C-alpha cells in the first residue's frame, strides 16, 4: 500500500509574506475555509506575534475551521510561543510551530550566538511548547546551509524535548534535488530517534527546484510536505501544492504516495488565492495556468481532437477545472471551430455555421488568438435584428490638443450615407455623425465597456442603452477596437429601435 504524505499548507503564513499579498482577517478566513474543503492536513494560519491583526485572524480560523490541524508560527522566545498558543488554543487540533536558524550564517550573523546556545534555546522552546500542547513542530531554519553534524544534534535534541514533527527547510532555495533527498535520507539514518517524529520539508523556489526538492525528499523518507497554493511565498515562493499533488497523481511510478487532498478543489482554491492576494497566476504556470490546458498549434489541435492523449497528460477535470480548450487562430480551420462550438453546446446548421465562420475569421484576423470566452462573446453578439444601417467606414481622430472628430459612412440598402462631426471625444463625435445620418432623436443612457479576455489585443465589448420617446433599447457591439465596438453598439441599438417602431414590436 502506498504511504500517506501529510500536506502542510502555508499560504496564510509564508504565502502571505509574498510582497503585496497582505490579507485581512476576513480574507484569511475565506481562504482557510477553502483549504479545509481542499482537505489539507495542516493550515499554518499565521505568525501571531507579528501583529495584533494576525493574532485575531489566526484566532478566528482556529475557532471556526474544523478538520485540519491549525498551526501558528513562533520564534524560540517564550513571548512568541505564548502568543501563538493564545491564537490556536481553541482549535479542534492546534499545533505550535517553533523555529530557529541552524546554519552558521544565521547563528553568527543574525543572532550572534554560538551553536550550543542556540541548541539550548531550541530545546527550552520545544519543552515550553510541549507544556501547552501535544503537537509541536520544530523547524531548523536554513538547514540546507547548515553543518550536517549540527543538524543531527538539533534534530535529536528537539525530538527528545518533545517535538512531534521536525522540519528541514531549504529556506533560501539553495539545494538541488539529489543533494536534498540524500540529506533527508542521512538524517533518517544517522539520527537515532528520528523515527519518533515526522520528518517534514519546506522548500523555497529561488533556483526553481522547490517542487522537485520536495518530491525528492518524500522519496527519501520525508512524510510531511510544506507547500503553498500557486507556489506563492517569500521571494521566489514556496513549493506549489498543486504541482506536488498532480505530480504524484500523474507519475505514481515515481511517487507511489497518497495524500488526503480533494483534488477537485484545486482549481477553485487557486483562483480564490489569486483573487484575494492579488497575485496573478502566470498563464504558463504548471497545472493551473490558463495555457496549461490550451492547445495552440494546428498540429497539436488536430492531434488532441483525434485523441486527447496525443498532447495532454493532465485532464483539467482532475483538478476541478474546465476541459482543455483550443486556442483558435485564423488557420485552425472549420473542423476545430465546429468542435469548439459543440463543446460550448451550440448547434448550428450548415448555413448558420458558414455565416458564423466568416465572423470568426474576421475576428481571428484582428485578434491572433481566439479563446473560448471570445467565441462565447461572438455567439452572444449575433444580432437577431434586420440591419437597417450597416457600418461601411469609420475614421476618428482624438488625442491631446486635437479636436476629436469622426467620419462615418453607413449603408442603408444600396445607399451610402456619409457624415462628419466633432465631439467631446472620438466616440461622441462618431455618435453625433450617426445621429446626423439617421435623424432620430436619441438619448444615450448607460455606456459600459469590458474586456472579454486578457491581453492588449483582447476583444472589447460595449453595451449601451438608448432612449427614444418611451422606448429603451439595449445595443451591443464588439471589436478589438473599442471605438468601433462603441459605434457597432450604437448602430445595433438604432437598428433594433427602427425594427421595434416599424413592427410596433414588443421591445427586445
Ligand atoms: O523558510 C523557512 O525556513 C521558514 C521557516 C519559518 C519554516 O519559512
Ligand atoms: Zn519559508
Amino acid at each position: 500500500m502506498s504511504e500517506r504524505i501529510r500536506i502542510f499548507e502555508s499560504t496564510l503564513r509564508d504565502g502571505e509574506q509574498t510582497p503585496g499579498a497582505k490579507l485581512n482577517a476576513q480574507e484569511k478566513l475565506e481562504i482557510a475555509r477553502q483549504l479545509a474543503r481542499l482537505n489539507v492536513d495542516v493550515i499554518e494560519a499565521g505568525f501571531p506575534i507579528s501583529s495584533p491583526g494576525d493574532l485575531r485572524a489566526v484566532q478566528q480560523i482556529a475557532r471556526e475551521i474544523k478538520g485540519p490541524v491549525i498551526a501558528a508560527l513562533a520564534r524560540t522566545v517564550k513571548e512568541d510561543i505564548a502568543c501563538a498558543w493564545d491564537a490556536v488554543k481553541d482549535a479542534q487540533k492546534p499545533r505550535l510551530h517553533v523555529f530557529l536558524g541552524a546554519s552558521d550564517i544565521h547563528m553568527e550573523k543574525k543572532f550572534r550566538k554560538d551553536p550550543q546556545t542556540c541548541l539550548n534555546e531550541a530545546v527550552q522552546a520545544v519543552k515550553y511548547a510541549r507544556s501547552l500542547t501535544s503537537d509541536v513542530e520544530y523547524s531548523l531554519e536554513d538547514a540546507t546551509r547548515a553543518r550536517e553534524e549540527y543538524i543531527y544534534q538539533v534534530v535529536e535534541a528537539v525530538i527528545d524535548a518533545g517535538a512531534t514533527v521536525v522540519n528541514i527547510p531549504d529556506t533560501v532555495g539553495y539545494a538541488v534535488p539529489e543533494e536534498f533527498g540524500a540529506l533527508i535520507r542521512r538524517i533518517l539514518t544517522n539520527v537515532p530517534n528520528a523515527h519518533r517524529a515526522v520528518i517534514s520539508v519546506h522548500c523555497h523556489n529561488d533556483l526553481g527546484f522547490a517542487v522537485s526538492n520536495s518530491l525528492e525528499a518524500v522519496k527519501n523518507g520525508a512524510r510531511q510536505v510544506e507547500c503553498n497554493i500557486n507556489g506563492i511565498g517569500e521571494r521566489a515562493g514556496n513549493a506549489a501544492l498543486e504541482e506536488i499533488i498532480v505530480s504524484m497523481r500523474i507519475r505514481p511510478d515515481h511517487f507511489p504516495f497518497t495524500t488526503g487532498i480533494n483534488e477537485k478543489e484545486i482549481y477553485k482554491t487557486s483562483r480564490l488565492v489569486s483573487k484575494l492576494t492579488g497575485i496573478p497566476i502566470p498563464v504558463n504556470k504548471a497545472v493551473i495556468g490558463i495555457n496549461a490546458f490550451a492547445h495552440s498549434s494546428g498540429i497539436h489541435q488536430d492531434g488532441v481532437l483525434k485523441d486527447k492523449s496525443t498532447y495532454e497528460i493532465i485532464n483539467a477535470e482532475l483538478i476541478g477545472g474546465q476541459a482543455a480548450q483550443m486556442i483558435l487562430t485564423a488557420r485552425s480551420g472549420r473542423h476545430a471551430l465546429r468542435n469548439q462550438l459543440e463543446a460550448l453546446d451550440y448547434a448550428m446548421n450548415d448555413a448558420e455555421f458558414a455565416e458564423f465562420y466568416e465572423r470568426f475569421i474576421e475576428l481571428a484576423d484582428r485578434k491572433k488568438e481566439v479563446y473560448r470566452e471570445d467565441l462565447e462573446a461572438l455567439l452572444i453578439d449575433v444580432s437577431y435584428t434586420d440591419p437597417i444601417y450597416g457600418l461601411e467606414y469609420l475614421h476618428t481622430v482624438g488625442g491631446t490638443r486635437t479636436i476629436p472628430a469622426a467620419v462615418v459612412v453607413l449603408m442603408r440598402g444600396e445607399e451610402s450615407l456619409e457624415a462628419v462631426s466633432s465631439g467631446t471625444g472620438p466616440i461622441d463625435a462618431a455618435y453625433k455623425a450617426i445621429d446626423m445620418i439617421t435623424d432620430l432623436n436619441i438619448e444615450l443612457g448607460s455606456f459600459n465597456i469590458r474586456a472579454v479576455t486578457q491581453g492588449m489585443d483582447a476583444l472589447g465589448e460595449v453595451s449601451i442603452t438608448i432612449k427614444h420617446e418611451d422606448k429603451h433599447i439595449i445595443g451591443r457591439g464588439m471589436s478589438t477596437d473599442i471605438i468601433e465596438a462603441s459605434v457597432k453598439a450604437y448602430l445595433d441599438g438604432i437598428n433594433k429601435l427602427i425594427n421595434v417602431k416599424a413592427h410596433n414590436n414588443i421591445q427586445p
Side-chain angles (χ1 to χ4, degrees), residues 13-14 73 97 99 139 141-142 167 169-171 202 204 226:
R13 199 279 296 167
D14 215 323
L73 186 68
H97 178 192
F99 76 104
S139 282
E141 195 190 13
D142 203 22
N167 185 34
D170 182 23
T171 302
H202 174 111
H204 279 267
E226 306 199 355

Side-chain angles (χ1 to χ4, degrees), residues 51-71:
S51 74
D54 205 43
L55 167 63
R56 278 194 301 277
V58 180
Q59 269 168 342
Q60 256 184 302
I61 291 168
R63 285 170 191 157
E64 186 185 313
I65 304 297
K66 309 288 174 226
V69 169
I70 307 297

Side-chain angles (χ1 to χ4, degrees), residues 101-111 141-142 145:
S103 65
D104 288 342
I105 302 177
H106 278 222
M107 289 186 287
E108 280 168 20
K109 304 211 161 42
K110 233 170 77 174
F111 312 129
E141 195 190 13
D142 203 22
R145 293 191 299 167

